[in-house]
Amino acid sequence: MASTNCWRCLARPSQRLLLAPASMTAASSNPTSAAFSTSTQLAARSTSGDTGMSRHIRTGKRLILGKKKRQGDKHKTPGPGERKAFRKRIQLSNDNALVVPGLAELTAQNVVDPGAVGQVVGIPVDVVDQLRTCEAFKSTQNWGLFRSPHMLIRKETVDMAQQLTDAVAKKETLRMVVTGDRGSGKSILGLQALATGFLNKWVVINIPEAQELTTAATEYSTVHNSDMFSQPVYIVKLMQAIHKANGPILSQCRVELDHMQLPISVTRNMSLAALINATKEPEFAWPVFQAFWKELLRPGRPPIMFALDGLAHIMRVSDYRSPAFELIHSHDLGLVRMFAEALGGKTPFPNGAAVLAVCSRGNAPILPSMDKALEQAAAIQAGAKAEEVPLRDAFYRKYDERVFEALRGVRVLDVRGVTKHEARSLMEYWAASGVLRLRVDEKNVSDRWTLAGGGVLAEMERVSLYDIRATV
Amino acid sequence: MALLEALSGAPGGGTEGVQVTFARPMPVSPSYFSRQPEFNDSFVLVQDLARRFGRLPTLPPGQAERVAWKTKEQYRLAIGEAVKARDYAACIGLVKRLHQIHPDLMPEEVKQGIRPFKRDINIYLNTPKLMPVDRFGRSHGVGKRKSSIARAWLVEGMGEVLINGKTLNDAFGRVHDRESALWGLKSMDRIDKYNVWALVEGGGTTGQAEALAMAIAKALVVHEPALKTPLRKAGCITRDPRTVERKKPGHVKARKMPAWVKR
């Protein structure tokens, strides 16, 4: 710590008080703000070297007895936010990995082709960009181990893509919830659905983490003349992502309605891309997004794919509070309500749409209402009669009616482990990429398949790629 | 008792014409005054039998009925004499040699003579109850480790595993535990040949995994008895007897003592 009296100034502290205020530092007269600050530089200097001013000037001449004082750690500590950025970074390529030649690329055709089940395909570069823009890649997925993003087409992929494209071709709305065990590949399936949307030139809107909307992590404000709340900053970000990912499609569509109430001027010859890119002002975000949504729902627009990851987080009471300091239900947040109504079938989509909600198992609140609603939906989908559908627990009071509304009549896709055939082609891809140093034969594949609890994909990766023992 | 018999028997044993001045009690066994009369008698008898019947035809080695012989300590306890190790070794060697005589030709004397050296219960007659593969193709095995008990049923299949109704990755978070649970199948290259359905209770994860290893190995032996020896070598057949050591009074734990405090 620096001494209280200044070594440059020869005046003693007692005398210093007697000095004229003009000779004192300017900072003392205005303590609240400074034109610039050298504190960071000083801090850097004091940590980096021993030539700092804070030490005594005659340090070098002092007799030091005993052991040499240990210097602090020389390494640079990460700056604020750096650690989190490193943890959350998404690495989609790795030059150390081997190129795997001879793999096909994902197309709109082979994603619905049952013959392609069990193939590992590359994601086309432009789709990778679009997926990255809408944050479909997660930091928990192992894209960084491989040369370029590839994915396995599994039976569920083809099944889902088939349902999506069929519904959209018939201009219907497919409302689907993807559930399954932890690590079984639900988010990747969501990514595959988004890729299908991009390949088929649909308008893809993705909410990558529902948690961000309801844990009171982003700003919110009341919406005039309604009971809803909007999250303007998030919506600006979302609109930018939509514009960037769907720009070419949106720029072909013109604005058809009069948006007199909008704070920005919108003319008839504007494209939708221009509309969504019109504002970066958080105050205008929600009205503009609503106008964009209204325009998208007009007949003759491209089909919509609306996806969300982490469904459970929007099926509970959020952490936000109303001006009366009461907790806000998630469905009272504007964007969440938009998704919930789309998922519940209340929004008519004249051009066909796919509303996809992906559950997460690792990070999800326990919600009896959602579990029961999905159980009922799965039973109805399996063809159960009205009396066979599982009933609600009569002694549980806290069922949330809005959750049942939002999940009424959805299709449920339960994701399990992959088959041995799929596991084998995946392991062959890993081996070809150089991350799996193991002979890929039937014995090894079935060993890993069993140890992974029947081909649960995350466990397959854990068992195969993170095996620290030397394998022959 | 032997002494009383000797007393009563001694006058009768003498001839009529001989004048007996007084009846002196004589012990029956000549080794009465040695410190180990019973063993000495047996040893002498065995030596005598070996001399007399040593040339009778024997069974080929390994074909005689397995007998649990008394160890030196067990023999000492049984007769209450301090038998020397060297003597007992010599004696039991002869006994085992006599036991090799072909059972059809085995004289009754020999059978009686070697009886004191047999244990009361022949453990080799204990045969484990056979658990056959049932009509559904299931075999059943039980395993224990620490305080866990596992029951496993094996059917021929594709390598699917359900433990307490959960998949393997739900039942065991650690990959190591998964491997040790299936170690019997994995070390025999049988993972993709059988399906496992198991119930485990008690103990922690490690104990449950290793109890399962034993249960699965035992169930596997029912399907393929020839795998018993390799499975034993893989460490799946023998029950690991180590359990938690009990806490003792005066100790903080089983062995830990309270810290020393000066007064």
Side-chain angles (χ1 to χ4, degrees):
Chain A
M1 187 181 155
S3 65
T4 46
N5 58 342
C6 166
W7 60 267
R8 276 188 213 278
C9 167
L10 295 173
R12 287 185 194 160
S14 52
Q15 293 170 334
R16 204 160 158 247
L17 293 173
L18 301 174
L19 287 174
S23 65
M24 303 280 282
T25 52
S28 63
S29 61
N30 185 10
T32 50
S33 68
F36 71 96
S37 164
T38 56
S39 57
T40 48
Q41 289 173 25
L42 284 176
R45 204 186 300 164
S46 65
T47 52
S48 61
D50 51 358
T51 55
M53 292 303 200
S54 60
R55 298 190 65 185
H56 199 274
I57 195 150
R58 284 161 57 94
T59 293
K61 296 180 183 171
R62 233 171 14 183
L63 175 65
I64 296 173
L65 290 175
K67 265 192 198 168
K68 225 177 165 183
K69 270 271 181 76
R70 267 194 74 224
Q71 296 285 321
D73 278 348
K74 286 281 173 62
H75 66 82
K76 185 171 150 287
T77 48
E82 232 172 86
R83 282 201 185 96
K84 183 172 184 185
F86 184 75
R87 201 172 68 233
K88 298 281 179 194
R89 85 200 188 287
I90 288 162
Q91 185 193 349
L92 291 183
S93 67
N94 186 346
D95 286 347
N96 294 322
L98 302 176
V99 182
V100 186
L103 292 182
E105 279 214 328
L106 187 73
T107 58
Q109 284 76 46
N110 65 8
V111 78
V112 292
D113 175 18
V117 169
Q119 280 180 12
V120 175
V121 292
I123 309 177
V125 182
D126 45 344
V127 177
V128 169
D129 288 342
Q130 287 171 314
L131 289 173
R132 188 203 271 277
T133 311
C134 66
E135 296 180 49
F137 298 107
K138 300 274 166 81
S139 56
T140 49
Q141 297 161 353
N142 289 323
W143 302 102
L145 292 177
F146 304 100
R147 189 61 168 245
S148 62
H150 283 71
M151 61 191 187
L152 174 73
I153 298 185
R154 49 195 287 193
K155 200 174 137 288
E156 286 87 350
T157 312
V158 172
D159 184 24
M160 181 190 64
Q162 193 91 54
Q163 292 188 36
L164 294 178
T165 45
D166 283 357
V168 168
K170 285 188 247 164
K171 295 198 183 296
E172 287 170 0
T173 308
L174 179 77
R175 299 175 287 125
M176 184 182 263
V177 175
V178 180
T179 62
D181 288 336
R182 186 162 166 264
S184 55
K186 299 180 291 295
S187 290
I188 292 281
L189 211 61
L191 182 144
Q192 288 171 334
L194 293 176
T196 313
F198 283 123
L199 288 170
N200 284 310
K201 309 255 183 284
W202 301 341
V203 176
V204 178
I205 302 173
N206 183 33
I207 300 174
E209 274 293 343
Q211 192 187 7
E212 289 174 6
L213 287 173
T214 58
T215 51
T218 179
E219 287 162 34
Y220 73 119
S221 60
T222 51
V223 176
H224 189 60
N225 281 342
S226 87
D227 59 340
M228 281 196 295
F229 296 83
S230 71
Q231 289 157 307
V233 175
Y234 189 90
I235 287 170
V236 168
K237 205 182 83 183
L238 181 68
M239 289 199 297
Q240 296 298 315
I242 294 171
H243 174 255
K244 211 171 156 198
N246 304 293
I249 305 162
L250 291 178
S251 56
Q252 287 165 10
C253 309
R254 300 280 148 199
V255 174
E256 289 176 357
L257 295 170
D258 292 320
H259 298 285
M260 303 300 288
Q261 80 288 2
L262 278 193
I264 54 169
S265 69
V266 176
T267 53
R268 284 286 179 112
N269 58 357
M270 253 176 112
S271 71
L272 285 187
L275 171 66
I276 199 161
N277 202 25
T279 182
K280 291 189 180 65
E281 285 295 320
E283 298 101 277
F284 309 152
W286 178 242
V288 171
F289 189 68
Q290 267 186 321
F292 170 71
W293 185 244
K294 258 185 221 158
E295 288 285 343
L296 268 189
L297 296 184
R298 307 239 343 129
R301 303 290 192 194
I304 301 173
M305 155 155 265
F306 198 2
L308 174 137
D309 201 340
L311 179 67
H313 286 285
I314 63 158
M315 292 295 170
R316 66 184 184 95
V317 176
S318 75
D319 296 341
Y320 289 109
R321 291 193 180 262
S322 65
F325 205 65
E326 281 153 2
L327 287 170
I328 300 171
H329 193 282
S330 297
H331 291 188
D332 287 336
L333 301 167
L335 184 59
V336 174
R337 180 178 287 185
M338 202 176 261
F339 184 81
E341 284 179 352
L343 187 65
K346 285 184 190 158
T347 316
F349 290 97
N351 313 306
V355 185
L356 189 78
V358 179
C359 295
S360 73
R361 198 45 75 81
N363 166 26
I366 297 167
L367 298 172
S369 312
M370 191 178 117
D371 292 346
K372 184 59 77 178
L374 288 180
E375 206 180 313
Q376 290 176 343
I380 292 168
Q381 186 183 329
K385 290 174 202 139
E387 63 270 16
E388 290 167 5
V389 172
L391 292 173
R392 297 188 199 178
D393 181 2
F395 297 99
Y396 186 66
R397 282 188 308 135
K398 296 180 188 167
Y399 279 125
D400 188 351
E401 206 51 52
R402 303 173 82 168
V403 172
F404 286 94
E405 280 296 309
L407 293 174
R408 178 146 303 153
V410 293
R411 295 194 70 78
V412 179
L413 181 67
D414 194 15
V415 188
R416 303 269 174 92
V418 294
T419 62
K420 280 191 185 173
H421 169 62
E422 290 160 354
R424 179 169 193 149
S425 67
L426 196 62
M427 283 177 73
E428 275 167 0
Y429 170 67
W430 291 340
S433 294
V435 275
L436 179 68
R437 307 187 69 183
L438 189 73
R439 216 173 67 215
V440 181
D441 54 8
E442 200 176 336
K443 175 179 159 288
N444 282 328
V445 170
S446 38
D447 271 15
R448 306 291 143 144
W449 186 85
T450 302
L451 285 182
V456 174
L457 276 177
E459 298 293 340
M460 289 275 302
E461 288 180 354
R462 203 170 143 213
V463 166
S464 312
L465 304 185
Y466 296 108
D467 196 356
I468 48 169
R469 289 169 308 168
T471 45
V472 184
Chain B
M1 191 68 76
L3 196 66
L4 287 177
E5 278 172 20
L7 268 175
S8 59
T15 50
E16 288 305 311
V18 177
Q19 189 71 36
V20 180
T21 51
F22 61 95
R24 193 164 66 95
M26 289 280 287
V28 174
S29 163
S31 53
Y32 175 75
F33 292 104
S34 75
R35 287 171 62 209
Q36 38 198 27
E38 216 170 300
F39 172 69
N40 276 345
D41 284 351
S42 298
F43 196 10
V44 169
L45 177 64
V46 165
Q47 278 173 327
D48 182 40
L49 291 172
R51 199 178 310 118
R52 279 158 62 202
F53 301 113
R55 291 174 186 260
L56 285 183
T58 58
L59 285 171
Q63 287 200 2
E65 181 206 3
R66 282 194 83 178
V67 171
W69 301 109
K70 280 177 185 159
T71 62
K72 181 190 67 188
E73 281 76 19
Q74 286 167 341
Y75 187 79
R76 278 178 179 171
L77 268 177
I79 63 167
E81 292 172 1
V83 181
K84 278 189 177 177
R86 195 185 58 184
D87 296 345
Y88 188 74
C91 182
I92 202 81
L94 289 176
V95 167
K96 285 179 181 170
R97 170 66 186 74
L98 284 172
H99 181 66
Q100 295 288 322
I101 294 172
H102 197 285
D104 294 346
L105 303 169
M106 177 87 83
E108 192 58 32
E109 295 166 75
V110 176
K111 284 183 189 164
Q112 295 300 325
I114 64 176
R115 178 168 295 162
F117 297 93
K118 287 183 176 176
R119 253 189 254 173
D120 294 338
I121 295 167
N122 187 359
I123 51 167
Y124 297 111
L125 294 179
N126 293 345
T127 44
K129 198 168 73 178
L130 278 181
M131 297 281 281
V133 179
D134 70 7
R135 64 201 168 95
F136 302 111
R138 299 175 301 194
S139 68
H140 176 47
V142 179
K144 295 185 183 182
R145 169 83 172 95
K146 291 186 178 178
S147 51
S148 309
I149 304 177
R151 288 170 284 162
W153 284 264
L154 241 67
V155 284
E156 290 183 15
M158 295 284 293
E160 288 159 31
V161 181
L162 272 187
I163 295 163
N164 289 348
K166 290 181 280 188
T167 53
L168 191 60
N169 61 320
D170 279 348
F172 296 111
R174 273 177 84 204
V175 177
H176 182 100
D177 286 339
R178 295 179 207 166
E179 283 196 348
S180 58
L182 298 182
W183 184 243
L185 292 174
K186 189 172 162 83
S187 56
M188 299 296 119
D189 283 350
R190 295 291 193 280
I191 280 196
D192 52 343
K193 308 279 192 298
Y194 292 97
N195 286 353
V196 181
W197 194 90
L199 296 173
V200 213
E201 55 191 22
T205 43
T206 313
Q208 292 198 338
E210 291 178 15
L212 267 173
M214 191 173 166
I216 290 172
K218 285 186 173 173
L220 179 60
V221 164
V222 175
H223 277 287
E224 298 179 56
L227 289 183
K228 185 158 187 176
T229 311
L231 278 172
R232 184 180 294 287
K233 282 187 182 155
C236 298
I237 297 287
T238 312
R239 158 82 152 114
D240 189 341
R242 293 173 296 173
T243 52
V244 178
E245 188 175 336
R246 67 151 290 187
K247 185 195 174 301
K248 281 101 188 164
H251 288 246
V252 183
K253 301 196 291 181
R255 310 245 173 123
K256 185 184 182 185
M257 288 296 283
W260 181 79
V261 182
K262 186 183 180 186
R263 275 177 292 281

